[in-house]
Coordinates of all heavy atoms in Angstrom, one line a residue:
A114 N 92.3 -27.2 7.0 CA 93.5 -26.3 6.9 C 93.1 -24.9 7.2 O 93.9 -24.1 7.9 CB 94.0 -26.4 5.4
R115 N 91.9 -24.4 6.8 CA 91.5 -23.1 7.1 C 91.2 -22.9 8.6 O 91.6 -22.0 9.3 CB 90.2 -22.7 6.3 CG 89.7 -21.3 6.5 CD 88.4 -21.1 5.7 NE 87.3 -21.9 6.1 CZ 86.6 -21.8 7.2 NH1 86.8 -20.7 8.0 NH2 85.6 -22.6 7.5
R116 N 90.5 -23.9 9.2 CA 90.1 -23.9 10.6 C 91.3 -23.9 11.5 O 91.3 -23.2 12.6 CB 89.2 -25.0 10.9 CG 88.7 -25.1 12.3 CD 87.8 -26.3 12.5 NE 87.5 -26.5 13.9 CZ 86.9 -27.6 14.4 NH1 86.5 -28.5 13.5 NH2 86.7 -27.8 15.7
T117 N 92.3 -24.7 11.2 CA 93.4 -24.9 12.1 C 94.6 -23.9 11.9 O 95.4 -23.7 12.7 CB 94.0 -26.3 12.1 OG1 94.4 -26.6 10.7 CG2 92.9 -27.3 12.4
G118 N 94.6 -23.3 10.7 CA 95.7 -22.4 10.3 C 97.0 -23.1 10.1 O 98.1 -22.5 10.1
T119 N 96.9 -24.5 9.9 CA 98.2 -25.2 9.7 C 98.8 -25.2 8.3 O 99.9 -25.6 8.1 CB 98.0 -26.7 10.1 OG1 96.8 -27.2 9.4 CG2 97.8 -26.8 11.6
F120 N 98.0 -24.7 7.4 CA 98.5 -24.6 6.0 C 98.0 -23.2 5.4 O 97.1 -22.6 5.9 CB 97.9 -25.7 5.1 CG 98.5 -27.1 5.4 CD1 97.8 -28.0 6.0 CD2 99.8 -27.4 4.9 CE1 98.3 -29.3 6.2 CE2 100.3 -28.6 5.2 CZ 99.6 -29.6 5.8
G121 N 98.7 -22.9 4.3 CA 98.3 -21.6 3.7 C 97.1 -21.7 2.8 O 96.5 -22.8 2.7
R122 N 96.8 -20.7 2.1 CA 95.6 -20.6 1.3 C 95.6 -21.6 0.1 O 94.6 -22.1 -0.4 CB 95.4 -19.2 0.7 CG 94.9 -18.2 1.7 CD 94.5 -16.9 1.1 NE 95.5 -16.3 0.3 CZ 96.4 -15.4 0.8 NH1 96.3 -15.0 2.0 NH2 97.3 -14.8 0.0
G123 N 96.8 -22.0 -0.4 CA 96.9 -23.0 -1.5 C 96.3 -24.3 -1.1 O 95.6 -24.9 -1.9
V124 N 96.5 -24.8 0.1 CA 95.8 -26.0 0.5 C 94.4 -25.8 0.8 O 93.5 -26.7 0.4 CB 96.5 -26.6 1.8 CG1 95.8 -27.8 2.3 CG2 98.0 -26.9 1.5
V125 N 94.0 -24.7 1.3 CA 92.6 -24.4 1.7 C 91.7 -24.4 0.4 O 90.8 -25.3 0.3 CB 92.4 -23.1 2.4 CG1 90.9 -22.8 2.6 CG2 93.2 -23.1 3.7
W126 N 92.0 -23.6 -0.5 CA 91.2 -23.4 -1.7 C 91.3 -24.5 -2.7 O 90.3 -24.9 -3.3 CB 91.4 -22.0 -2.3 CG 91.0 -20.9 -1.4 CD1 91.8 -20.1 -0.7 CD2 89.6 -20.7 -0.9 NE1 91.0 -19.3 0.1 CE2 89.7 -19.6 0.0 CE3 88.4 -21.2 -1.2 CZ2 88.6 -19.1 0.7 CZ3 87.3 -20.7 -0.6 CH2 87.4 -19.7 0.3
S127 N 92.5 -25.0 -2.9 CA 92.6 -26.2 -3.8 C 91.9 -27.4 -3.2 O 91.4 -28.2 -4.0 CB 94.1 -26.4 -4.1 OG 94.8 -26.7 -3.0
G128 N 91.9 -27.6 -1.9 CA 91.2 -28.7 -1.3 C 89.7 -28.6 -1.6 O 89.1 -29.6 -1.9
Y129 N 89.2 -27.4 -1.4 CA 87.7 -27.2 -1.7 C 87.5 -27.5 -3.2 O 86.5 -28.2 -3.5 CB 87.3 -25.8 -1.4 CG 87.2 -25.4 0.0 CD1 87.5 -24.1 0.5 CD2 86.7 -26.3 1.0 CE1 87.4 -23.8 1.8 CE2 86.6 -26.0 2.3 CZ 86.9 -24.7 2.7 OH 86.8 -24.3 4.1
T130 N 88.3 -26.9 -4.0 CA 88.1 -27.0 -5.5 C 88.2 -28.4 -6.0 O 87.4 -28.9 -6.8 CB 89.1 -26.1 -6.2 OG1 88.9 -24.8 -5.8 CG2 88.8 -26.1 -7.7
V131 N 89.2 -29.2 -5.6 CA 89.4 -30.5 -6.1 C 88.3 -31.4 -5.6 O 87.8 -32.3 -6.3 CB 90.8 -31.1 -5.7 CG1 90.9 -31.4 -4.2 CG2 91.1 -32.3 -6.5
G132 N 87.9 -31.2 -4.4 CA 86.8 -32.1 -3.8 C 85.5 -31.9 -4.6 O 84.8 -32.8 -5.0
I133 N 85.2 -30.6 -4.8 CA 83.9 -30.3 -5.6 C 84.0 -30.8 -7.0 O 83.1 -31.3 -7.6 CB 83.7 -28.8 -5.5 CG1 83.3 -28.4 -4.0 CG2 82.5 -28.4 -6.4 CD1 83.2 -26.9 -3.8
S134 N 85.2 -30.6 -7.6 CA 85.4 -31.1 -9.0 C 85.2 -32.6 -9.1 O 84.6 -33.1 -10.1 CB 86.8 -30.7 -9.5 OG 87.0 -29.3 -9.6
I135 N 85.7 -33.3 -8.2 CA 85.4 -34.8 -8.2 C 84.0 -35.1 -8.1 O 83.4 -35.9 -8.9 CB 86.2 -35.5 -7.0 CG1 87.7 -35.5 -7.3 CG2 85.7 -36.9 -6.9 CD1 88.5 -36.0 -6.2
L136 N 83.3 -34.4 -7.3 CA 81.8 -34.7 -7.1 C 81.1 -34.3 -8.4 O 80.1 -35.0 -8.8 CB 81.3 -34.0 -5.9 CG 81.9 -34.4 -4.5 CD1 81.4 -33.6 -3.4 CD2 81.6 -35.9 -4.3
V137 N 81.5 -33.2 -9.0 CA 80.8 -32.8 -10.3 C 81.1 -33.8 -11.3 O 80.3 -34.2 -12.1 CB 81.3 -31.4 -10.7 CG1 80.9 -31.1 -12.1 CG2 80.8 -30.3 -9.7
G138 N 82.4 -34.3 -11.4 CA 82.8 -35.2 -12.4 C 82.0 -36.5 -12.3 O 81.6 -37.2 -13.3
L139 N 81.7 -36.9 -11.1 CA 80.9 -38.2 -10.9 C 79.5 -38.0 -11.4 O 78.9 -39.0 -11.9 CB 80.9 -38.5 -9.4 CG 82.2 -39.1 -8.8 CD1 82.0 -39.3 -7.3 CD2 82.6 -40.3 -9.5
V140 N 78.9 -36.8 -11.3 CA 77.6 -36.6 -11.9 C 77.6 -36.8 -13.4 O 76.7 -37.5 -13.9 CB 77.1 -35.1 -11.6 CG1 75.8 -34.8 -12.3 CG2 76.9 -34.9 -10.1
G141 N 78.7 -36.4 -14.0 CA 78.8 -36.6 -15.5 C 79.1 -38.1 -15.8 O 78.6 -38.6 -16.8
A142 N 79.9 -38.7 -14.9 CA 80.4 -40.1 -15.2 C 79.3 -41.1 -15.3 O 79.4 -42.1 -16.0 CB 81.4 -40.5 -14.2
V143 N 78.2 -40.8 -14.6 CA 77.1 -41.8 -14.6 C 76.4 -41.7 -16.0 O 75.7 -42.7 -16.4 CB 76.0 -41.5 -13.5 CG1 76.6 -41.7 -12.2 CG2 75.4 -40.1 -13.7
Q144 N 76.7 -40.7 -16.8 CA 76.2 -40.6 -18.2 C 77.2 -41.2 -19.2 O 76.8 -41.4 -20.3 CB 75.9 -39.1 -18.5 CG 75.0 -38.4 -17.5 CD 73.6 -39.1 -17.5 OE1 73.1 -39.5 -18.5 NE2 73.0 -39.2 -16.3

């Protein structure tokens, strides 16, 4: 979204944030 300019900042930063949050959650989920 950031590279192509096809969406606004809402998609850019929430895309980054939700992806990272999922990966962080998986680290905890193994516990």
Side-chain angles (χ1 to χ4, degrees):
R115 182 181 62 81
R116 179 181 170 189
T117 62
T119 49
F120 287 106
R122 288 193 298 269
V124 175
V125 175
W126 294 110
S127 57
Y129 287 145
T130 304
V131 70
I133 292 169
S134 295
I135 288 174
L136 298 176
V137 168
L139 288 176
V140 172
V143 298
Q144 305 299 321

